[in-house]
Amino acid sequence: MAPTPLPRTGTQYTGRWLLAGRAAPHIARMSATTTSAVLLSRRDLTVNDAQKVTLGIIAAYIVAIAILWNVPYIRWVLWPFKMLVIAFHEFGHAFACLLTGGRVESISLDPREGGVTHMRGGKSGLTLPAGYLGSSLIGALLTFAGFNINASKIASIAVGVCFLLTLYWGRKDWLTIITILLAVGLLVGCWFIAHAEALRFVVLFIGVMSSLYSVWDICDDLILRKVNSSDSYVFAQRYGGSSQCWGVIWSIISLGFMACGIIAGIAAFPQSAAQQRNDSQNFIPTKF
């Protein structure tokens, strides 16, 4: 006797039919979508000529800063930018203090390339690392913006807001006032050079230096000079571990921020140099 065929309405048969007749096209669509996403991702991370120039400039900045940071006498060339990055560092402390319910009493910068933020309250487990990590995060965002002229314009406005807050907290310290006013003057002046094309390179330089500041400063404090008042030393005293260990961890995070900023800049800004200049003339246009 021939076997009785399964009914078309049976559960097992229906399930197989769904897999063959409905799921297969769905899988095909998923495969096509995945392929498109992979191709889009590869296209977004393709480095064009303008981005190659930006990456070359970043590499040149890294080498120049590494040399100028340590060579006697000529390292004073970096002094104004060091003070600027220290202002970012102190802003990180202050902002973390506010976010954790504390109060910022004052900020002051020291001519010997130091700074201090006087706070009341807040969570020291967050405010202590926020100096280095905050400045490196700001640096990564500025590096990201440095891939595009219009993004650099927006970034300079955001930095101006940070400066105003820092200026408010440091209004009793003359060096803080002078440093911030000079920095604001530099950014504003670059807006009027070649439709703010110069601004992009200044933002990029500040971003690179701010990203690497924590690495070099931690090396100075914990390896070369062994400063016992550094943020990582105080953090280790309160929460355990060694200052060198926390310094290395914060340095790795800082470098990770910088790498993310570079990758994001490549993915987000594929415009050519000519396109950027044209776009800049239509976005908060300036002439000089």
Side-chain angles (χ1 to χ4, degrees):
M1 179 180 294
T4 304
L6 290 172
R8 295 184 65 85
T9 57
T11 303
Q12 184 178 6
Y13 186 86
T14 304
R16 289 177 179 173
W17 177 78
L18 284 173
L19 178 60
R22 296 182 181 177
H26 179 64
I27 292 174
R29 288 194 297 271
M30 289 179 61
S31 177
T33 302
T34 303
T35 302
S36 300
V38 171
L39 292 175
L40 180 62
S41 176
R42 289 179 179 175
R43 185 187 66 186
D44 287 345
L45 292 180
T46 299
V47 179
N48 59 30
D49 291 339
Q51 292 171 336
K52 288 178 183 177
V53 171
T54 302
L55 292 175
I57 291 173
I58 290 174
Y61 282 165
I62 292 173
V63 173
I65 292 171
I67 294 174
L68 293 174
W69 191 279
N70 297 296
V71 176
Y73 302 111
I74 65 172
R75 64 185 178 184
W76 287 101
V77 173
L78 284 183
W79 183 82
F81 294 99
K82 282 187 179 182
M83 299 309 300
L84 177 59
V85 172
I86 290 172
F88 284 146
H89 180 99
E90 301 306 328
F91 175 80
H93 285 310
F95 192 63
C97 176
L98 292 180
L99 290 180
T100 55
R103 178 181 176 183
V104 180
E105 299 289 342
S106 65
I107 287 178
S108 61
L109 304 181
D110 189 276
R112 292 171 294 181
E113 302 169 10
V116 61
T117 300
H118 298 282
M119 301 173 286
R120 181 179 300 175
K123 305 293 183 182
S124 60
L126 295 176
T127 58
L128 283 171
Y132 286 122
L133 298 185
S135 62
S136 62
L137 180 58
I138 292 174
L141 293 173
L142 292 178
T143 302
F144 163 77
F147 277 82
N148 182 269
I149 297 176
N150 285 348
S152 297
K153 289 183 177 182
I154 296 173
S156 66
I157 295 173
V159 168
V161 173
C162 294
F163 282 157
L164 289 177
L165 288 173
T166 307
L167 186 61
Y168 172 77
W169 290 321
R171 61 189 181 276
K172 296 181 180 179
D173 180 70
W174 66 268
L175 184 57
T176 303
I177 295 172
I178 293 176
T179 299
I180 291 177
L181 290 179
L182 288 176
V184 171
L186 176 64
L187 293 176
V188 171
C190 288
W191 270 69
F192 296 91
I193 300 176
H195 293 285
E197 188 170 4
L199 180 66
R200 182 169 82 90
F201 298 110
V202 172
V203 167
L204 193 63
F205 179 82
I206 296 173
V208 171
M209 186 163 177
S210 188
S211 294
L212 297 178
Y213 165 75
S214 61
V215 179
W216 283 318
D217 198 58
I218 286 173
C219 288
D220 278 348
D221 287 349
L222 302 181
I223 298 176
L224 301 178
R225 294 183 296 168
K226 296 183 179 180
V227 177
N228 290 334
S229 59
S230 65
D231 295 336
S232 56
Y233 178 84
V234 176
F235 190 90
Q237 291 295 307
R238 295 184 182 182
Y239 300 101
S242 67
S243 58
Q244 289 84 356
C245 177
W246 289 116
V248 169
I249 291 174
W250 295 351
S251 297
I252 292 173
I253 295 174
S254 298
L255 292 175
F257 283 159
M258 183 178 181
C260 290
I262 292 173
I263 294 172
I266 293 173
F269 303 118
Q271 299 88 350
S272 66
Q275 288 175 320
Q276 289 190 41
R277 286 191 290 268
N278 183 64
D279 293 341
S280 176
Q281 294 175 21
N282 299 312
F283 179 77
I284 317 180
T286 55
K287 294 182 179 180
F288 184 74

